[in-house]
Amino acid sequence: DAGVTQSPTHLIKTRGQQVTLRCSPISGHKSVSWYQQVLGQGPQFIFQYYEKEERGRGNFPDRFSARQFPNYSSELNVNALLLGDSALYLCASSVFLAGGQETQYFGPGTRLLVL
Amino acid sequence: GQNIDQPTEMTATEGAIVQINCTYQTSGFNGLFWYQQHAGEAPTFLSYNVLDGLEEKGRFSSFLSRSKGYSYLLLKELQMKDSASYLCAVSGNNRLAFGKGNQVVVIP
C-alpha cells in the first residue's frame, strides 16, 4: 500500500516569493495535517483538515494557508516567504477510530530553502 | 498551551538498553505517541499510549503515567540502526504537540 506522498521533495525559493506544497494521504484516510520542522527541533503543528474542513490551526501567521480537496489530498501555501520559513514541511494523514483515537503517519516531507 | 520536555542527546552501546524520558503539560490529552526519525527522513510511528501502564512492541516499550505527565520509551538490545532522534508527541485539540526529540547515538 502506498504511504503518504508529498511533492516536491526539495524546493529553493527567494524571499518574498510564494510556494505551494502538495500532499496525498494514505488511501482511506480523510484527515491531513501539516507540520513545519526546523533543524534540531521537533515538528510544529500548522494545520489539520478533515473532510475538507479546517479542524485546527497552529500558531503560524496568515501567510500560511491550506486547503483539502474532495479526494482528501491537500495543499499548503506560504506567501511572502521569509528566510525563517526554511524548513522541512511534513504532511501526515490519519483516520479517526471509534473513541476519537487517531494515529498520524508522516510523508517524506518537502525540504524548503529560502534564499 | 502545551509544553513537552525531552533530554537532548544520549550515547549507548550496541546491545544495551536505553530509556528516553518525556514530561508534558498540556491543556488537552488524547494520548501520547513516540516516533523515530532518522536524519533527513520523516518521523515513523513507534508506539501509542492512551491509558496508564506499559505497552510492549518487540524491542520497544513505552510507559505512560497521566497523573504525573510522564512517559518513557525503552529500547532494548540496541542495534546500530537505532541511532536516530526519538520524538515524544502529545495528541490533543486536533493536533500533535512534539518535544524537541532525543538524539540517541549507538556505538559498537
Side-chain angles (χ1 to χ4, degrees):
Chain A
D1 286 343
V4 179
T5 59
Q6 291 185 244
S7 63
T9 56
H10 295 80
L11 203 51
I12 300 176
K13 293 284 189 177
T14 56
R15 281 179 297 176
Q17 285 189 309
Q18 175 266 342
V19 68
T20 298
L21 310 181
R22 296 177 176 82
C23 171
S24 291
I26 294 170
S27 177
H29 286 195
K30 298 181 179 180
S31 178
V32 169
S33 301
W34 287 96
Y35 294 83
Q36 179 196 65
Q37 187 176 25
V38 298
L39 201 61
Q41 301 292 318
Q44 296 296 309
F45 173 76
I46 310 176
F47 289 109
Q48 184 181 69
Y49 277 78
Y50 177 71
E51 291 278 15
K52 297 172 287 181
E53 298 290 326
E54 181 184 299
R55 291 192 78 204
R57 172 185 284 257
N59 189 24
F60 279 80
D62 292 344
R63 298 185 296 107
F64 289 76
S65 63
R67 55 179 175 168
Q68 187 178 33
F69 299 99
N71 66 354
Y72 304 113
S73 67
S74 177
E75 287 182 352
L76 175 70
N77 295 284
V78 186
N79 293 323
L81 284 167
L82 303 174
L83 296 181
D85 295 332
S86 296
L88 178 66
Y89 288 85
L90 295 162
C91 171
S93 80
S94 56
V95 60
F96 289 91
L97 305 176
Q101 297 174 15
E102 65 162 322
T103 299
Q104 296 193 11
Y105 297 92
F106 286 85
T110 294
R111 192 164 297 279
L112 172 65
L113 177 61
V114 182
L115 301 176
Chain B
Q2 292 167 310
N3 183 36
I4 319 292
D5 191 33
Q6 294 183 251
T8 55
E9 186 171 322
M10 56 175 61
T11 301
T13 307
E14 202 172 8
I17 299 174
V18 67
Q19 178 173 316
I20 304 167
N21 298 319
C22 173
T23 58
Y24 64 90
Q25 293 177 303
T26 61
S27 55
F29 183 86
N30 289 334
L32 189 138
F33 290 81
W34 285 95
Y35 285 83
Q36 179 192 61
Q37 187 175 28
H38 287 101
E41 298 181 10
T44 55
F45 170 75
L46 289 179
S47 70
Y48 172 59
N49 294 70
V50 63
L51 299 176
D52 290 352
L54 190 67
E55 295 280 342
E56 297 188 78
K57 290 176 77 174
R59 294 189 299 114
F60 296 170
S61 302
S62 57
F63 171 84
L64 174 67
S65 169
R66 289 172 296 172
S67 62
K68 295 182 179 178
Y70 168 70
S71 174
Y72 69 73
L73 180 70
L74 199 66
L75 314 181
K76 304 173 191 173
E77 301 169 19
L78 276 177
Q79 302 175 9
M80 297 300 291
K81 67 179 181 180
D82 297 331
S83 291
S85 180
Y86 291 86
L87 298 161
C88 161
V90 172
S91 175
N93 301 319
N94 299 321
R95 67 198 64 191
L96 284 178
F98 283 87
K100 292 183 179 181
N102 183 308
Q103 186 67 41
V104 172
V105 178
V106 182
I107 58 176

